[in-house]
Amino acid sequence: MAQSRAEIRYDQSARTFRLDAADVTYALGVNESGELQSLYWGKRLQPADDIPAAHADNGTSSFDLPVNATPQEFVGWGGGLVVVPDIKITFPDGNRDLVLRYVSHRIQDDSLTITMKDISRDVTVVLQYEMDGETGILGRSARVENHTHAPLTVEQAFAGTWNLPASSDYQLRYLTGRWAGEWNLQQEPLHPGKVVLESRRGSTGDEINPWFAIERGSAIDQETGDVWFGALGWSGSWQINIEQDWENRVRVTGGYTPFDFAYTLAPGESLQTPKFYGGYSDSGIGGASRLLHGFEMNSILPQPHRLRPVLYNSWEATGFDVNESGQEALAEEAARLGVERFVMDDGWFGERKDDHAGLGDWFVNPQKFPHGLKPLIEKVHALGMDFGLWVEPEMVNPDSELYRKHPDWVLNFAGRPRTEGRHQLVLNLARPDVRAYVYGFLDKLLTENEIAFLKWDYNRNWSEPGWPSAPLDEQKEVYVKYVQNLYGILAELREKHPHVEIESCSGGGARVDLGILRYVDEVWPSDNTDPFDRLSIQNGFTYAYAPGLMMAWVTDSPNGMNNRSTSLEYRFLSSMQGSLGIGANLNKWTPGDFATAKKLVSEYKAVRETVQEGLLYRLLSPIGSEYAATESVARDGHEAVVFAFLHSSQEGKPFPQLYLRGLDPAATYHVHLQEGQLADGTVERASGDYWMHHGIGVSLRGDFQAACFTLEREAR
Ligand code: GLA
């Protein structure tokens, strides 16, 4: 399929830029003051539509200086700015005034670069805009360059400002959470004032994910209405500000959090901000998610999405208690089910008996694996699976050889306590020696063993984020350099070991963002594997991230999280909404369990392309509801896969009629649903229009019931 391209045009007489791709137009211009002004962002305009020249807004009173009233694309703190700046600088002479003006631009293929410069000082900011041809999603970032003869300190650096037109009817959505309870969807009306979404944790964090969506209108419909959305590509501390001004206009800014931030630029040095991606859909929040999903799969991942193999993971079955014979026995059972990848989790290295010791000592534990990992890996291969391994490279237990040898390698303030989380400390990856150590042991592990997959874990937040060995004025750069080195290690490992796939895990979903997704193939959304809780967790996840990135394991029942018992079939169907994994203790399964699981694994393989890479429609939200249902439509339209879940029947009420979406209205579809699950009187063949408007009745009754069915398009 030919790649669609973005079109970028500059109108010299009006001094306007117009970027068009997919269904989106984005326009900006240089106004009479030389400011870069936002002009339009939304539904694609007609080719002949002119974008009128930019004119600064002079405000309505002496309190509304034009610098604040004019919607600017990128603005420095200076000249009376009171809204959130994109950049703030302190010069060594005490001057803190930065006023940027347009200097020049360059258009190359689907990217636009605009250079701005301060009115008197030799500080330039190079703004980058890249528009994705398939989705119209823009990636924005900025590079601040010091061309003066003295060092300066950057105290705040954002990628840019997204401006939305005035409206008193905006709804903001974002995702909050905690360990084992990630991906809660929040929705609230926007009011004049400011909403700050932020992580000060050193990493992305699960308290708030760096994603937002703003809908105009308060319709509850998933598929209609204007939606603007954005996500930061950064895995360190971050901030997104959503400001609504006195005229109900909205500005969204984001990048490194300015909290505890200072980055010194010597003459000739520059600082690049994280990328801030933004998109628009006129097909509601559902359409916005689908655009983002496609963008992630095709343009963010380090390689175009590969179908996720069905995986087995040892964690919930054996905990830290792994050894050669035990893992081999589990591998044999997993292979019988049709599992394609066997992953050994925590416990295989150093003196790792529990979470008190061993992190940092990345050599195979000789008691547990007297012959190294080779026999297990060979066994896994002989069983027809590939082999994956758990690592937590950025951490160290004080009780480890590494820490005893290098106590200065962790983040710390000299002479201050080092706060432990899960009995571990954070290695300071910004240090070149730590970076070399981490890359070195991972490279060795991958060179010496046939490992196809790493589960890369990260199980605590930062504390005492000091870097005592760095020059004083560079110590706060740890926030940037740590993450740059993390990305660097991942990139180098991928380059040297291109067949190795990586999962980003952080005690669940605490490091999921468009930055880490440039270097990994999948993510672990939550340590909570309760299949009912998972419906809401997975639902929230898909607002920002694609189902094909989301690992979901079937584990044992009752599930430890809530002591809830569910059938194996219910657990499978919940996990089959993402990338299927199994994390149960197979030694305890009955022959009946094996038969059920084997059948469901093979059914999953038949639909996984549609589930992982298709277009997701949310039919019934699980949030606060007895019912939940999703539908995935294959990109080529040949089938739709529907999952339906019932919490508990009440008062004999039937399961709600499901109105499907995204089908070809005139095509005929054949429904394949397990016997007894089709409501009485429901036909099996009908048009797309019929399924979308008449709907389909599913017969689910009882507690924790689930159904999965497909609609297959018939040849015309
Ligand atoms: C984290 C992960 C789990 C598991 C444990 C191992 O909590 O999220 O899946 O790997 O670490 O210690």
Side-chain angles (χ1 to χ4, degrees):
M1 199 176 67
Q3 279 281 14
S4 321
R5 297 206 68 96
E7 236 183 86
I8 304 183
R9 281 172 292 162
Y10 177 60
D11 176 342
Q12 194 142 9
S13 56
R15 300 224 284 172
T16 54
F17 300 91
R18 174 171 167 167
L19 295 78
D20 292 280
D23 222 8
V24 182
T25 296
Y26 190 91
L28 57 150
V30 183
N31 67 21
E32 59 276 42
S33 312
E35 293 162 335
L36 204 57
Q37 189 170 336
S38 310
L39 295 174
Y40 177 78
W41 183 25
K43 175 90 179 160
R44 188 167 186 155
L45 303 175
Q46 294 301 319
D49 286 332
D50 278 333
I51 305 291
H55 289 296
D57 182 333
N58 289 322
T60 43
S61 84
S62 57
F63 294 97
D64 311 331
L65 297 180
V67 68
N68 299 303
T70 304
Q72 296 192 56
E73 288 282 299
F74 193 94
V75 62
W77 187 68
L81 193 82
V82 292
V83 295
V84 175
D86 290 294
I87 183 162
K88 180 174 185 306
I89 285 177
T90 292
F91 292 94
D93 60 358
N95 171 42
R96 306 193 303 281
D97 187 56
L98 187 76
V99 177
L100 297 167
R101 295 287 183 255
Y102 167 89
V103 176
S104 63
H105 73 269
R106 197 161 61 107
I107 294 171
Q108 212 177 19
D109 303 331
D110 49 9
S111 74
L112 164 66
T113 310
I114 298 176
T115 302
M116 303 185 81
K117 187 182 157 303
D118 178 60
I119 46 174
S120 73
R121 305 217 166 189
D122 225 353
V123 174
T124 55
V125 179
V126 181
L127 308 181
Q128 288 129 355
Y129 295 80
E130 276 164 29
M131 198 176 213
D132 177 53
E134 297 290 326
T135 59
I137 292 178
L138 268 169
R140 294 180 58 183
S141 67
R143 189 175 68 245
V144 48
E145 300 173 343
N146 180 7
H147 299 291
T148 71
H149 300 293
L152 55 81
T153 307
V154 181
E155 290 169 348
Q156 176 163 332
F158 285 169
T161 303
W162 304 100
N163 285 289
L164 268 57
S167 167
S168 53
D169 196 12
Y170 279 130
Q171 300 283 321
L172 171 67
R173 296 194 199 232
Y174 55 99
L175 291 159
T176 62
R178 64 181 170 95
W179 177 78
E182 298 89 339
W183 312 108
N184 295 297
L185 189 66
Q186 307 296 338
Q187 183 175 348
E188 63 196 39
L190 272 185
H191 302 295
K194 183 165 69 176
V195 178
V196 181
L197 311 180
E198 185 180 42
S199 163
R200 298 181 176 193
R201 293 165 182 250
S203 72
T204 323
D206 50 19
E207 191 184 4
I208 307 183
N209 188 267
W211 167 89
F212 75 91
I214 297 174
E215 282 179 77
R216 188 161 50 203
S218 34
I220 49 161
D221 189 87
Q222 284 267 326
E223 311 299 340
T224 56
D226 296 303
V227 179
W228 293 264
F229 56 94
L232 270 178
W234 185 243
S235 312
S237 291
W238 58 271
Q239 190 181 81
I240 294 176
N241 295 281
I242 298 127
E243 281 178 294
Q244 188 159 35
D245 74 9
W246 60 97
E247 288 186 1
N248 287 330
R249 294 174 297 198
V250 173
R251 318 169 72 243
V252 184
T253 41
Y256 305 122
T257 179
F259 176 78
D260 199 34
F261 188 87
Y263 201 102
T264 306
L265 293 182
E269 285 186 345
S270 63
L271 172 65
Q272 184 79 41
T273 72
K275 274 198 186 168
F276 200 174
Y277 299 93
Y280 164 82
S281 169
D282 69 345
S283 305
I285 191 72
S289 307
R290 288 187 290 276
L291 283 180
L292 206 40
H293 296 169
F295 179 66
E296 289 157 359
M297 306 283 265
N298 299 320
S299 304
I300 293 286
L301 289 182
Q303 55 203 351
H305 184 257
R306 290 189 284 206
L307 287 181
R308 300 291 78 219
V310 176
L311 156 165
Y312 179 82
N313 178 290
S314 66
W315 176 242
E316 291 204 22
T318 47
F320 298 96
D321 195 11
V322 296
N323 59 44
E324 191 178 303
S325 59
Q327 294 299 298
E328 287 189 3
L330 279 174
E332 273 176 24
E333 305 296 359
R336 284 170 53 199
L337 299 173
V339 165
E340 296 155 315
R341 171 169 290 169
F342 182 85
V343 183
M344 176 160 67
D345 210 278
D346 201 348
W348 59 269
F349 52 90
E351 291 302 315
R352 189 79 166 162
K353 294 184 187 67
D354 51 32
D355 58 12
H356 286 73
L359 284 178
D361 298 340
W362 297 104
F363 49 82
V364 180
N365 179 295
Q367 281 83 45
K368 297 178 179 181
F369 297 91
H371 318 286
L373 295 177
K374 280 213 163 57
L376 173 61
I377 296 179
E378 275 165 19
K379 173 86 182 189
V380 166
H381 288 168
L383 289 165
M385 303 179 288
D386 67 27
F387 180 77
L389 195 63
W390 181 94
V391 286
E392 194 178 355
E394 301 151 80
M395 300 287 168
V396 65
N397 288 116
D399 185 0
S400 66
E401 285 182 20
L402 185 73
Y403 189 72
R404 282 184 281 275
K405 213 162 134 199
H406 296 292
D408 51 333
W409 275 13
V410 298
L411 293 173
N412 73 95
F413 289 120
R416 306 290 300 173
R418 300 173 176 197
T419 306
E420 292 177 24
R422 208 192 189 203
H423 319 288
Q424 62 197 53
L425 297 167
V426 183
L427 288 172
N428 182 357
L429 218 54
R431 288 174 60 123
D433 46 5
V434 174
R435 183 200 195 282
Y437 168 78
V438 169
Y439 175 78
F441 86 73
L442 287 166
D443 178 43
K444 186 162 180 280
L445 198 61
L446 297 177
T447 304
E448 290 177 355
N449 299 285
E450 263 191 78
I451 293 172
F453 172 79
L454 288 179
K455 175 177 170 186
W456 184 302
D457 214 336
Y458 180 87
N459 279 316
R460 58 160 294 179
N461 299 317
W462 289 15
S463 58
E464 299 93 20
W467 182 3
S469 59
L472 205 55
D473 62 350
E474 291 175 23
Q475 292 188 359
K476 288 183 178 172
E477 294 172 15
V478 67
Y479 290 108
V480 176
K481 290 188 169 154
Y482 180 111
V483 181
Q484 283 173 344
N485 280 350
L486 168 66
Y487 290 163
I489 292 169
L490 285 162
E492 275 175 49
L493 287 173
R494 294 199 76 102
E495 170 93 34
K496 181 139 181 232
H497 307 278
H499 63 282
V500 175
E501 296 190 336
I502 303 175
E503 173 180 293
S504 172
C505 171
S506 178
R511 192 156 65 188
V512 182
D513 60 77
L514 295 189
I516 202 81
L517 281 171
R518 288 202 164 277
Y519 304 96
V520 301
D521 303 272
E522 62 185 48
V523 299
W524 180 231
S526 179
D527 275 358
N528 186 344
T529 60
D530 176 301
F532 173 68
D533 282 3
R534 269 286 181 142
L535 298 181
S536 315
I537 289 173
Q538 295 175 176
N539 173 69
F541 179 95
T542 66
Y543 275 78
Y545 302 100
L549 304 170
M550 173 179 81
M551 293 309 297
W553 304 343
V554 174
T555 55
D556 285 317
S557 175
N559 186 288
M561 194 58 63
N562 301 309
N563 201 27
R564 177 179 289 124
S565 298
T566 51
S567 70
L568 188 56
E569 181 144 27
Y570 182 89
R571 282 176 268 151
F572 258 95
L573 264 49
S574 169
S575 296
M576 281 163 67
Q577 291 186 299
S579 300
L580 178 66
I582 298 173
N585 189 347
L586 301 179
N587 298 321
K588 294 192 180 151
W589 276 21
T590 64
D593 292 337
F594 275 98
T596 305
K598 199 170 167 185
K599 176 176 145 278
L600 288 166
V601 167
S602 105
E603 285 178 19
Y604 176 71
K605 287 178 182 170
V607 298
R608 77 171 140 191
E609 185 172 344
T610 301
V611 171
Q612 294 182 16
E613 298 183 349
L615 298 162
L616 177 73
Y617 295 85
R618 302 182 191 94
L619 304 182
L620 297 174
S621 165
I623 299 169
S625 160
E626 295 294 308
Y627 316 108
T630 61
E631 175 195 0
S632 304
V633 180
R635 296 247 164 205
D636 69 2
H638 83 279
E639 71 170 357
V641 182
V642 179
F643 293 94
F645 301 88
L646 168 67
H647 179 274
S648 51
S649 295
Q650 287 180 38
E651 301 165 348
K653 285 185 220 146
F655 194 85
Q657 187 85 344
L658 294 178
Y659 299 97
L660 302 191
R661 311 272 192 158
L663 302 180
D664 175 350
T668 302
Y669 294 83
H670 190 136
V671 62
H672 300 274
L673 181 60
Q674 225 173 310
E675 226 172 283
Q677 288 193 324
L678 211 53
D680 287 347
T682 305
V683 299
E684 290 187 10
R685 283 179 73 246
S687 68
D689 259 337
Y690 182 93
W691 299 122
M692 292 192 287
H693 302 293
H694 173 279
I696 182 166
V698 181
S699 165
L700 285 180
R701 297 177 69 223
D703 295 339
F704 300 111
Q705 299 296 312
C708 168
F709 61 92
T710 58
L711 285 114
E712 197 187 334
R713 191 178 57 194
E714 293 182 358
R716 286 185 209 226

